[in-house]
Amino acid sequence: MPKKQDYVIAWIDIKGQHFEILVKPDEAFKFKEGEKVSISDVLWSDTVYKDVRKGLKASPEAIKKAFGTDDINSIAERILKEGQIQITEEERRKIIEMKRRQIITYIARNAVDPKSGSPIPEQRIENLFEELRIGVDPFRPVEQQALEAIKKMATAIPIKIARALVEVTIPPEFAGRAISEVKRLGDVKKTTWLDDGSLKVELEIPAGMQLEVIDKIQGLTRGQAQINVKVSSP
């Protein structure tokens, strides 16, 4: 069995049965937050345990009954998505502080004063986190928590997310493969199939995410997408 510092335990209770797997901490946290990480890169071993510390493996019958499959990748995906990851209090504090900084940075990049159009300083955002006692979940996505935090801040100061409309035209040879990925990058306002087989998609995104979204789209289309960005006024 690997050294303790090399793995963490992810677990879930299903139908009165307890199941545990060994996972790599960094990869597991990324997966749980919704990042694209291969399950094979998350798993430390392909064994499903009843109790890791006692070295007790779950029986094949119990696994099949609980998960409906004996495929370790499917089992691990469900455990990570629906279950828990065991971490120490010190690890939890570190993760929460890191996530807190990421949320504050996200807000500073994307939020503005709707009256003046000016960005909100990071120090002001940080002060509001303290004043309004805004909590941070170590496992939920940054953007989701940032949007919730902005709603709370709006009770204290004028603040809103600046939005950008991204018009993307994807060449025919990439349209079929790229459409599902592109739609995940923002709020889809309109899709149009053009006569030549190209796909035109209009996405609304936080203004501060422009470079990231453009980079992802060009990666999907080998730099051949046509992109036009319009930032909305506050």
Side-chain angles (χ1 to χ4, degrees):
M1 186 175 289
K3 296 179 181 179
K4 188 176 191 314
Q5 63 266 28
D6 295 332
Y7 72 87
V8 293
I9 299 170
W11 62 270
I12 193 172
D13 290 324
I14 300 176
K15 299 179 180 178
Q17 296 287 322
H18 184 78
F19 301 94
E20 299 179 346
I21 55 174
L22 301 180
V23 295
K24 301 170 187 175
D26 291 343
E27 288 81 358
F29 296 143
K30 289 177 182 178
F31 183 90
K32 195 155 180 80
E33 290 181 350
E35 292 189 31
K36 286 189 177 181
V37 181
S38 171
I39 283 291
S40 60
D41 291 333
V42 175
L43 284 169
W44 185 270
S45 74
D46 59 2
T47 302
V48 181
Y49 292 89
K50 184 175 181 180
D51 190 320
V52 167
R53 292 183 176 84
K54 294 181 180 179
L56 299 177
K57 297 180 181 180
S59 70
E61 295 77 16
I63 294 171
K64 192 68 178 288
K65 182 179 179 181
F67 296 95
T69 180
D70 55 10
D71 178 67
I72 185 60
N73 290 336
S74 298
I75 293 168
E77 184 171 342
R78 182 171 176 186
I79 291 175
L80 288 167
K81 286 182 176 178
E82 300 177 18
Q84 304 291 326
I85 299 177
Q86 294 179 346
I87 56 177
T88 66
E89 282 305 311
E90 182 180 355
E91 289 170 332
R92 177 176 287 273
R93 283 195 296 270
K94 289 180 180 178
I95 294 170
I96 287 176
E97 181 54 31
M98 178 183 69
K99 183 65 67 68
R100 181 173 176 271
R101 293 308 320 170
Q102 292 173 340
I103 294 170
I104 290 172
T105 298
Y106 179 96
I107 295 172
R109 285 177 56 194
N110 293 284
V112 296
D113 181 328
K115 296 179 180 178
S116 65
S118 302
I120 311 296
E122 282 201 22
Q123 188 59 56
R124 181 64 176 122
I125 296 168
E126 189 164 0
N127 291 342
L128 284 169
F129 264 66
E130 297 295 331
E131 294 169 15
L132 302 175
R133 297 184 180 181
I134 296 174
V136 173
D137 188 309
F139 301 121
R140 290 175 58 216
V142 168
E143 182 176 357
Q144 187 180 57
Q145 295 193 69
L147 295 178
E148 292 174 358
I150 288 170
K151 288 182 180 179
K152 293 181 180 179
M153 291 180 189
T155 64
I157 65 169
I159 185 173
K160 66 169 288 186
I161 288 287
R163 309 295 293 180
L165 184 67
V166 182
E167 296 178 349
V168 184
T169 302
I170 304 170
E173 60 267 35
F174 303 105
R177 296 196 305 271
I179 181 171
S180 59
E181 294 298 325
V182 171
K183 285 183 175 180
R184 292 192 184 101
L185 297 177
D187 184 11
V188 178
K189 296 300 181 182
K190 186 178 180 181
T191 59
T192 306
W193 287 98
L194 305 180
D195 292 340
D196 65 352
S198 298
L199 175 66
K200 185 175 182 180
V201 182
E202 294 183 4
L203 295 172
E204 189 177 64
I205 63 171
M209 301 296 290
Q210 293 175 61
L211 294 179
E212 180 180 339
V213 169
I214 289 172
D215 184 62
K216 288 182 179 179
I217 292 172
Q218 295 296 23
L220 292 168
T221 62
R222 298 181 185 174
Q224 296 184 45
Q226 297 179 20
I227 302 175
N228 182 39
V229 181
K230 300 176 181 178
V231 179
S232 62
S233 57

